[in-house]
Amino acid sequence: MDDADAMTRWRSLVARRDGQDLVVALSHEPWPENALQLIGDGLLAAVRDGVEGAAQVAARCVAALRERHWDGDEELADALEAALGSGPAPMLRPLPVDLEELAMILEGDPLHGGGGVDLSTGEVWARPALEYAAEVGEIDEDEDEDDEDDEDERWLWVECQGSRGGYRDMVEFIDRLDDPVLADRLTHAIGGRGAFRRFKGVLSERPELLTRWYDFSNERQRGRARRWLAAEGYTPTRVT
């Protein structure tokens, strides 16, 4: 099974909430470094559901997350330890939010990014969707003071943090390559405006590396979204 097939398998197991098959697979197959955030969320659900063998595998995941120490890894490791009963419960409010959707509005173009998370449902709203909802009257922009308090209680507002994190991801990805010629080409590609487009253009010549980049980038973004959410006082829970 190649890396792309392996990532598809992990995503499928986590998305299906198939905790038992996830635990069995993790007990017998190598763990891709670019999937620890995804795997950790699946194990968190499995531990809470009391899946046989989940505790032992989750303890391994905690150790792997703390050793890797990417953004969001400490927060996920803390959540796993709390579920295992081996650590204190983080003082964070649960929110059923999709971290990948949150990452999409948290990063990117500051002019068009950002938005809000509906605290009653965990649904992620991009800024254009919020603006449209205001236009059609679903969200009232002309509230009095009490209504403003109600809106603040309903929404967790998200300000776009721009592409700095994504740029750092490209730099680190290049540093991990074992092909110095390609690494040099990519280093030149990310200089100046249009860096992301040129970076992907060079990688498109090597489809397997482009797939690896997407996995790496998604994992990093997921972790940054988790860290941002924790800083706001929330922890992601299973989306129903």
Side-chain angles (χ1 to χ4, degrees):
M1 182 183 299
D2 61 25
D3 290 345
D5 290 339
M7 285 298 299
T8 298
R9 173 173 168 74
W10 298 124
R11 285 186 174 276
S12 176
L13 289 172
V14 174
R16 297 200 322 261
R17 300 172 186 169
D18 193 338
Q20 189 62 68
D21 281 357
L22 178 65
V23 168
V24 171
L26 289 171
S27 300
H28 298 91
E29 299 176 19
W31 298 17
E33 183 185 38
N34 293 341
L36 286 181
Q37 283 276 327
L38 178 70
I39 288 170
D41 276 329
L43 286 172
L44 193 56
V47 169
R48 289 170 175 167
D49 290 343
V51 173
E52 183 178 358
Q56 293 85 348
V57 181
R60 285 178 54 198
C61 189
V62 169
L65 286 164
R66 296 209 187 280
E67 180 179 359
R68 187 178 70 168
H69 201 59
W70 288 0
D71 289 341
D73 286 353
E74 290 297 315
E75 288 81 0
L76 180 53
D78 289 345
L80 282 166
E81 286 191 334
L84 291 168
S86 58
M91 301 300 290
L92 301 171
R93 288 164 286 183
L95 183 63
V97 61
D98 186 308
L99 288 177
E100 292 184 3
E101 292 183 2
L102 176 59
M104 288 179 63
I105 67 171
L106 189 60
E107 303 190 17
D109 185 351
L111 294 177
H112 304 289
V117 180
D118 189 328
L119 292 175
S120 63
T121 65
E123 185 178 4
V124 177
W125 289 59
R127 182 184 297 175
L130 284 171
E131 291 173 347
Y132 176 76
E135 288 179 5
V136 300
E138 186 173 339
I139 298 174
D140 187 3
E141 290 186 322
D142 298 322
E143 310 115 331
D144 59 27
E145 185 174 341
D146 290 337
D147 290 334
E148 289 178 1
D149 292 340
D150 291 341
E151 286 297 314
D152 287 339
E153 291 178 2
R154 176 182 175 183
W155 295 100
L156 172 61
W157 302 112
V158 181
E159 292 294 330
C160 183
Q161 298 186 346
S163 58
R164 290 187 299 275
Y167 188 87
R168 289 194 297 270
D169 292 345
M170 290 193 295
V171 173
E172 182 156 344
F173 185 82
I174 293 170
D175 288 343
R176 292 165 174 264
L177 294 176
D178 56 7
D179 183 337
V181 175
L182 179 61
D184 186 63
R185 288 183 62 198
L186 288 169
T187 297
H188 283 87
I190 63 174
R193 300 187 62 177
F196 288 92
R197 174 181 53 80
R198 290 193 301 273
F199 178 81
K200 292 176 185 176
V202 174
L203 280 182
S204 66
E205 301 170 11
R206 300 272 297 275
E208 75 285 359
L209 283 182
L210 185 61
T211 298
R212 190 189 306 173
W213 157 251
Y214 283 128
D215 292 337
F216 178 80
S217 176
N218 289 339
E219 177 82 351
R220 301 276 287 189
Q221 289 177 358
R222 190 182 189 94
R224 286 194 293 271
R226 188 187 306 277
R227 184 190 61 177
W228 179 88
L229 202 61
E232 295 294 324
Y234 295 91
T235 185
T237 59
R238 181 185 302 183
V239 178
T240 58

